[in-house]
Amino acid sequence: DGGITQSPKYLFRKEGQNVTLSCEQNLNHDAMYWYRQDPGQGLRLIYYSQIVNDFQKGDIAEGYSVSREKKESFPLTVTSAQKNPTAFYLCASSNEGHSGANVLTFGAGSRLTVL
Amino acid sequence: AQTVTQSQPEMSVQEAETVTLSCTYDTSESDYYLFWYKQPPSRQMILVIRQEAYKQQNATENRFSVNFQKAAKSFSLKISDSQLGDAAMYFCASFTGNQFYFGTGTSLTVIP
């Protein structure tokens, strides 16, 4: 079945460490997104990518980095510069990156806790 | 930036009854899409319903329907015959340009 796989589901990190969250999709979607979810704040966009080797900052990109070397993969690195990284992270993809029949398909999420 | 507002942080409904979740949005674009997503305790986001702004007819999906008031920029979700499995966080979202914008969510409790 087609879908989005995020790993790991749970991750613990010590302060000062970088950590990478994996996101893989087999839906052949062009666009991929990373969102951060905190209680009471909905979903906030970190980064998005509409094509391979190109990505754009979202509203809260500081302290995060991404790459898009393959269409299927869009890993997110949470760097030590992110001041409050404890959160639930959601990866998503859509069938078009531009105005059209866009529907977001989400992964199951990754819960990052900084100790 | 576009904004999506959900003014009801929490709602409750008796099983088998009907409940309406409110959403308003702010956009200057003429071409956009609106969505309701459901996030159950598993935290897996699931698409409930989708509406194209250029369509006047309200979208429906089984027990779920929307009331799309374009002039008022309102997009409410009606859940009929509520079931225990409908208990979840519901997010209203818009798509315009090349980004999605989400509201802060409404937590729906279904009372047996």
Side-chain angles (χ1 to χ4, degrees):
Chain A
D1 289 338
I4 299 178
T5 301
Q6 287 188 241
S7 63
K9 190 173 179 67
Y10 300 97
L11 186 62
F12 298 89
R13 189 194 90 176
K14 293 181 179 180
E15 285 192 17
Q17 289 181 337
N18 292 353
V19 62
T20 297
L21 307 181
S22 171
C23 179
E24 303 279 334
Q25 55 102 355
N26 60 3
L27 299 166
N28 199 33
H29 284 176
D30 289 315
M32 296 187 74
Y33 305 79
W34 274 106
Y35 291 93
R36 171 177 170 145
Q37 187 176 19
D38 296 283
Q41 296 195 46
L43 276 68
R44 293 184 291 168
L45 181 65
I46 304 172
Y47 269 98
Y48 66 101
S49 169
Q50 294 175 309
I51 57 172
V52 175
N53 293 321
D54 186 53
F55 47 83
Q56 307 296 327
K57 291 182 178 180
D59 300 322
I60 57 165
E62 184 176 353
Y64 300 97
S65 66
V66 294
S67 63
R68 187 85 186 277
E69 297 177 0
K70 299 185 300 181
K71 187 176 185 178
E72 308 79 37
S73 179
F74 191 42
L76 173 73
T77 297
V78 185
T79 75
S80 57
Q82 169 50 235
K83 296 179 180 178
N84 185 20
T86 294
F88 187 66
Y89 292 87
L90 283 163
C91 179
S93 68
S94 67
N95 51 350
E96 288 182 80
H98 300 280
S99 180
N102 292 277
V103 173
L104 276 177
T105 300
F106 285 88
S110 294
R111 173 70 184 178
L112 172 62
T113 302
V114 174
L115 303 174
Chain B
Q2 311 294 327
T3 58
V4 177
T5 302
Q6 294 179 250
S7 58
Q8 305 155 316
E10 298 178 347
M11 292 280 286
S12 62
V13 62
Q14 290 285 144
E15 195 175 3
E17 297 296 312
T18 296
V19 64
T20 299
L21 308 184
S22 300
C23 173
T24 58
Y25 60 94
D26 180 21
T27 181
S28 57
E29 302 289 333
S30 59
D31 184 18
Y32 56 93
Y33 298 79
L34 299 167
F35 308 85
W36 278 97
Y37 280 89
K38 170 185 177 181
Q39 188 179 41
S42 68
R43 306 199 77 171
Q44 175 71 58
M45 294 282 279
I46 303 164
L47 176 68
V48 175
I49 203 163
R50 170 177 168 269
Q51 173 85 41
E52 294 95 335
Y54 63 85
K55 288 188 176 180
Q56 294 184 342
Q57 186 173 5
N58 289 326
T60 62
E61 286 288 340
N62 300 315
R63 298 183 295 106
F64 299 87
S65 62
V66 297
N67 183 5
F68 176 42
Q69 300 290 326
K70 192 170 184 177
K73 296 183 179 177
S74 171
F75 184 61
S76 60
L77 175 69
K78 185 172 81 171
I79 306 174
S80 303
D81 186 24
S82 296
Q83 300 175 359
L84 295 177
D86 294 334
M89 197 76 170
Y90 287 82
F91 290 96
C92 180
S94 69
F95 178 86
T96 182
N98 55 11
Q99 286 196 36
F100 291 84
Y101 300 89
F102 287 84
T104 53
T106 296
S107 178
L108 179 65
T109 299
V110 181
I111 303 167

